[in-house]
Amino acid sequence: MEFFKLKKDIKILSMIFTVIFIAAFSLTSTAAVNPLSKTDRLFRYGESSLRVGSLGGEVGVTDSTNALNGTKLSLGIDAFLSDETEFIRFQVDNAGKIKKDRKGRPRILVTNVTKKTTSFKRNAIILKPKKTKKKPVEFALTEPFFAATDFRHTNILVLHIDSDKDNKADKFPTYFIKDIKYRTIKLPKKYGVTITKKKGKKKKEKIGVAGVFFNKAKFPVITTYADLVTEGKILLVQVLEVPNAIIDLPQPLKVKDGWVAVGPPVNISTFTTLIDTTAPTSLDNATLSVPIFTDVVSALGISDSDIAVFRNKGSKLKTMVSISDTVSIDTITGIAKIKNVKELGTYQALGKLSGVSKSLPVITSLKARSKSNGNVEIKYTVVDVDGDKPDIKIEYRTNPSVDGSSGWKTIKTINNVKPSAKKAHKFTWKSKSDIGKAAGYFQIRVTPIKTINGKSVRGVFRTSETFRIETSKGAPKAPDKLKAKVKNDPDNEIDADGKDTNPPQVSLSWNKPSGNVAGYNVYRQARFRNGVEDTFKVIKTINDSSTTSYKDNSDNGTLTTSFLEAYYTVTAFDSSGKESKFAKPLSVASIVFGSYYYYGK
C-alpha cells in the first residue's frame, strides 16, 4: 500500500518532526452524579451512531419509544471503508501486556515493542526496524496526535486476538478508553520511518527516510471501562478514530404524486472528527431496514404490493429503490429491507394511493420539564411539508418501562396545530388534575394526527426523557450503596443473525432504605453493541422490599446483548406508590465482541 507520494525525502523528514512535537489529547471522564444531567447522558450523535471500520458492522435503533425503532444499517466487509489507514492513530503488532487496576480488574493495557514487532504506526507515519550503523536521534518519538476533544468516545481501542492458536485474529474486542498515559520505552532495535514507492507494478520499501532512526519512543498505557480479554494472544493493538455511519430523523420531505408516506423518514449520513481526511460519501453492499407504520397502512387500505421505498433527490422523495429482488416488504413486522444500498440520504416507505400526495407530520423536537407545583412545561415542534394542520395528542406514563407501547394515558388532544420547523409550541400539563399529588418518574409522548384520504392516521411521534414529578411528601428515601458487577462470557460470539451467543450479566445489589418500602424499580440506560436506549427506563419492578438484588441477563429477558456502557440506578416505592429519587447511578461496561466496529460520537 502506498502511504505517501512525496518526491523528496525532506518532505517526509518534516512530517517526522511534526509528529515529534505534536502533543496528544488525553481526557479522563468523570463519574456520574445525576443520571439525568447533561454530563451523564450516553454520548451520542443523532438517534444512533456507529463508528465502523473496514470489516463492517451494524447500527440500529432498538428503543421501542423511538419512532425509528427497527431501523438498521448493516455493513459488510469494505462496505464502509475499504482502506482505513488514515484513521489509525496508533498501532503496534505483537506487543501488549494486560495488567490489573487497583481493584484487581484486568483493565490496563501496557503497549510496548518486542523483538517480534514488525512495525508500529503513529498517525500517518509507519516505523519499521532496520539494522543500520547510523546513530539514532537523541530524543524520543512522542505520542500520537488525536484530533477529537472528547477522547473517551471518539478514539476507540480494538484488540486483534488469536484465541485458537493459529496465529490469525478471530476475535476483535472493542473498548471505550477511560484514560491514556504515556511512558518512554527503549526500542529493542532502531526504527525508521517507512515509505513505499511504486514504479509500474513493482513496489519498493524504504526504511529510515532522510537517515533518521529512533531507539526511544513514547508508548501509551491505556485504561478501559470494561475488562480486557485475557484469553488468547494479542496480535495487534489499535487506537482508531474512524468515521461514523449515522441514523437520525430528518425533516420530512415531499412525496411523489399518487403516493403517501407510510413510515418515518430515515436519514443515513457520515461524519468524521478528523480534519485531514473526509468521511465516506457512499456505501457499498449495505443493507438498510426502515420502519413501516402498519396502522397507517391498514387505515388507508394499502396492500403490501403497493408499498415501495423512495430515496430523496434534493428536497423531495423522487427515486424509487423498491425493486423486487432488492427490497422486501413485511407489514407484519413493520419493516422494509433494502439490499445493495450505495447512496447516503433520506429513505422512506411510501404507499401507492391514486390521486393523493401526502407526507406524514413529524414531531422534530420535544422537551418536558416539571416544576415544584406539579406543572409540566412541554415544548415541541411539528413539521408538515404539505402545510396541513395536524391534531396533536399529548400523553404521559409513569414508571416508564422498556416496552414503549405500554402505560400511556391521554392528557389532551389539541386540534389544528400550525406546523413550523422554527417556532416551538408550548403546553402546560397541570399534572395534579390527572394524577393528584405524586412522587415518581414520568415520560411524555407527543403524536401528530392527520387526515389522509378521509382517514385519521398518526404521524411520527417523539417521546421525552424520563423526568421526576414530586408534589407529595413522604416518599421513601433512595436506596444506597448500589453495586454492580459485570460477568463476561469468554465464549460469547456474534452469530449469523448478529446476536450475542452468550451475553454478559450484570449483578446489582443495594441497601434497603428505612421507612415504608414496598418494592423497587430498577432503571437502565445503555449503549448496546448495536443500539442505544434513549433515556432511563424501568427494566424490572420488584414487589418485595426484602429483595435487594437483581440480575440483568438473558435468562430474565432484560439483557440479550453486550454493551459498551450502561448506567444503572434503583428507586424504592411505598405501598401508596410514592417513589423515591434515583439512587446514585453506576456506570459499567461489558466486553463487546464482534467485527471491527463500535459506537462513538
Side-chain angles (χ1 to χ4, degrees):
M1 184 179 294
E2 187 174 1
F3 296 103
F4 306 101
K5 294 182 179 179
L6 301 176
K7 295 181 179 179
K8 296 182 179 180
D9 287 349
I10 191 65
K11 292 184 178 181
I12 299 294
L13 184 61
S14 67
M15 290 180 65
I16 296 172
F17 284 95
T18 299
V19 172
I20 290 173
F21 293 107
I22 288 178
F25 288 105
S26 180
L27 300 182
T28 304
S29 69
T30 56
V33 177
N34 184 325
L36 298 182
S37 70
K38 289 184 178 180
T39 56
D40 297 329
R41 294 173 187 161
L42 293 178
F43 199 76
R44 44 196 296 231
Y45 187 100
E47 296 299 331
S48 202
S49 175
L50 175 76
R51 287 192 168 273
V52 60
S54 63
L55 294 186
E58 184 175 279
V59 59
V61 180
T62 56
D63 190 320
S64 60
T65 64
N66 191 313
L68 298 185
N69 185 41
T71 303
K72 185 188 299 182
L73 179 65
S74 300
L75 298 156
I77 294 176
D78 293 338
F80 191 65
L81 284 180
S82 58
D83 178 14
E84 62 198 357
T85 304
E86 57 195 350
F87 299 102
I88 300 172
R89 313 314 283 173
F90 171 79
Q91 176 177 293
V92 63
D93 65 80
N94 294 294
K97 186 177 181 180
I98 296 173
K99 291 188 175 182
K100 294 182 179 180
D101 62 13
R102 292 180 179 179
K103 294 184 178 181
R105 302 170 300 188
R107 296 189 180 181
I108 299 174
L109 178 68
V110 181
T111 64
N112 56 9
V113 171
T114 67
K115 292 181 180 180
K116 293 183 178 180
T117 299
T118 61
S119 68
F120 65 88
K121 187 176 187 295
R122 277 169 157 67
N123 304 122
I125 295 179
I126 295 176
L127 295 100
K128 291 186 177 182
K130 183 179 181 180
K131 289 183 179 181
T132 177
K133 293 182 180 180
K134 292 187 177 181
K135 291 184 178 181
V137 295
E138 295 182 359
F139 44 81
L141 183 66
T142 61
E143 58 264 29
F145 173 73
F146 298 103
T149 55
D150 191 308
F151 185 91
R152 178 165 71 114
H153 292 89
T154 308
N155 298 280
I156 308 297
L157 171 68
V158 180
L159 302 181
H160 294 228
I161 303 290
D162 171 20
S163 65
D164 53 9
K165 299 181 180 180
D166 63 354
N167 208 34
K168 294 180 181 179
D170 49 63
K171 285 194 174 183
F172 305 91
T174 304
Y175 302 89
F176 279 157
I177 296 172
K178 184 176 183 180
D179 187 32
I180 287 188
K181 291 182 171 60
Y182 292 89
R183 65 188 185 110
T184 300
I185 67 169
K186 186 174 181 180
L187 304 175
K189 300 176 183 178
K190 296 174 185 177
Y191 276 74
V193 172
T194 302
I195 63 170
T196 301
K197 293 183 178 180
K198 188 176 181 181
K199 288 186 177 181
K201 295 182 178 180
K202 294 183 178 181
K203 293 181 180 180
K204 186 177 181 181
E205 184 178 77
K206 182 176 182 180
I207 301 175
V209 174
V212 177
F213 288 89
F214 298 89
N215 67 351
K216 291 184 293 183
K218 288 190 176 182
F219 268 65
V221 178
I222 302 170
T223 303
T224 59
Y225 287 95
D227 292 348
L228 294 163
V229 175
T230 56
E231 296 82 10
K233 180 183 178 182
I234 300 175
L235 299 182
L236 191 68
V237 175
Q238 291 183 313
V239 177
L240 302 101
E241 196 168 340
V242 292
N244 298 66
I246 300 167
I247 295 174
D248 61 6
L249 178 66
Q251 298 283 340
L253 301 176
K254 282 187 172 292
V255 303
K256 290 185 66 173
D257 291 339
W259 294 85
V260 296
V262 293
V266 175
N267 188 63
I268 307 297
S269 60
T270 61
F271 171 80
T272 180
T273 50
L274 298 178
I275 58 175
D276 55 351
T277 189
T278 58
T281 57
S282 63
L283 304 170
D284 184 24
N285 195 32
T287 300
L288 175 65
S289 298
V290 298
I292 299 171
F293 290 164
T294 56
D295 53 337
V296 174
V297 172
S298 177
L300 296 176
I302 298 172
S303 64
D304 289 12
S305 59
D306 286 333
I307 296 175
V309 177
F310 283 73
R311 181 174 55 81
N312 75 303
K313 193 170 184 179
S315 61
K316 295 183 179 180
L317 289 163
K318 288 186 175 181
T319 307
M320 184 189 293
V321 295
S322 182
I323 305 171
S324 59
D325 60 342
T326 61
V327 177
S328 59
I329 304 295
D330 189 340
T331 53
I332 296 177
T333 60
I335 292 295
K337 183 180 290 187
I338 312 113
K339 298 179 181 179
N340 302 324
V341 174
K342 297 181 182 296
E343 302 292 334
L344 301 173
T346 298
Y347 291 79
Q348 190 169 15
L350 306 182
K352 190 180 293 184
L353 202 60
S354 179
V356 182
S357 175
K358 290 291 182 180
S359 182
L360 291 176
V362 176
I363 302 297
T364 55
S365 69
L366 171 62
K367 291 183 179 180
R369 185 170 64 91
S370 63
K371 295 185 175 182
S372 58
N373 62 0
N375 290 350
V376 178
E377 299 294 336
I378 300 169
K379 293 176 65 176
Y380 64 91
T381 53
V382 57
V383 177
D384 189 301
V385 292
D386 302 321
D388 297 329
K389 294 181 179 180
D391 297 338
I392 299 296
K393 185 178 182 180
I394 302 175
E395 302 167 284
Y396 78 93
R397 65 174 182 167
T398 185
N399 304 131
S401 71
V402 291
D403 179 2
S405 62
S406 67
W408 294 104
K409 297 180 180 180
T410 301
I411 298 172
K412 187 174 183 178
T413 298
I414 307 171
N415 298 324
N416 300 318
V417 175
K418 185 178 180 180
S420 173
K422 297 180 179 179
K423 186 177 180 180
H425 294 274
K426 297 180 181 180
F427 175 79
T428 299
W429 175 36
K430 297 180 179 180
S431 66
K432 288 182 181 179
S433 61
D434 288 310
I435 61 175
K437 291 185 177 181
Y441 289 92
F442 293 79
Q443 200 174 20
I444 296 293
R445 181 170 69 182
V446 176
T447 305
I449 300 170
K450 179 175 179 174
T451 299
I452 297 178
N453 207 32
K455 303 293 183 180
S456 180
V457 298
R458 56 116 168 178
V460 182
F461 66 88
R462 189 175 285 266
T463 55
S464 74
E465 291 189 349
T466 299
F467 62 92
R468 182 170 179 79
I469 295 176
E470 188 166 1
T471 54
S472 178
K473 296 181 179 180
K477 292 182 179 180
D480 63 358
K481 296 186 178 180
L482 176 62
K483 296 179 181 179
K485 185 176 182 180
V486 179
K487 182 180 179 181
N488 297 287
D489 192 323
D491 294 326
N492 185 32
E493 295 179 348
I494 309 304
D495 64 19
D497 296 324
K499 297 180 180 179
D500 290 63
T501 58
N502 297 282
Q505 173 178 281
V506 180
S507 297
L508 301 166
S509 65
W510 57 89
N511 282 357
K512 175 186 175 182
S514 59
N516 176 18
V517 176
Y520 309 94
N521 284 320
V522 180
Y523 287 80
R524 182 190 67 205
Q525 185 183 10
R527 180 194 301 275
F528 299 118
R529 178 177 55 81
N530 58 351
V532 179
E533 289 179 317
D534 287 349
T535 187
F536 276 88
K537 288 188 279 291
V538 177
I539 61 171
K540 179 65 176 180
T541 295
I542 301 171
N543 293 305
D544 180 6
S545 63
S546 63
T547 301
T548 56
S549 63
Y550 179 70
K551 290 184 178 180
D552 189 16
N553 57 26
S554 57
D555 290 341
N556 286 324
T558 52
L559 185 61
T560 58
T561 182
S562 50
F563 56 93
L564 285 157
E565 61 177 342
Y567 285 101
Y568 287 89
T569 187
V570 180
T571 62
F573 56 84
D574 62 20
S575 55
S576 66
K578 295 177 186 177
E579 187 179 18
S580 74
K581 293 182 179 180
F582 284 135
K584 185 177 180 180
L586 288 178
S587 176
V588 294
S590 77
I591 296 174
V592 174
F593 288 108
S595 294
Y596 209 86
Y597 62 98
Y598 34 80
Y599 284 98
K601 180 178 177 182

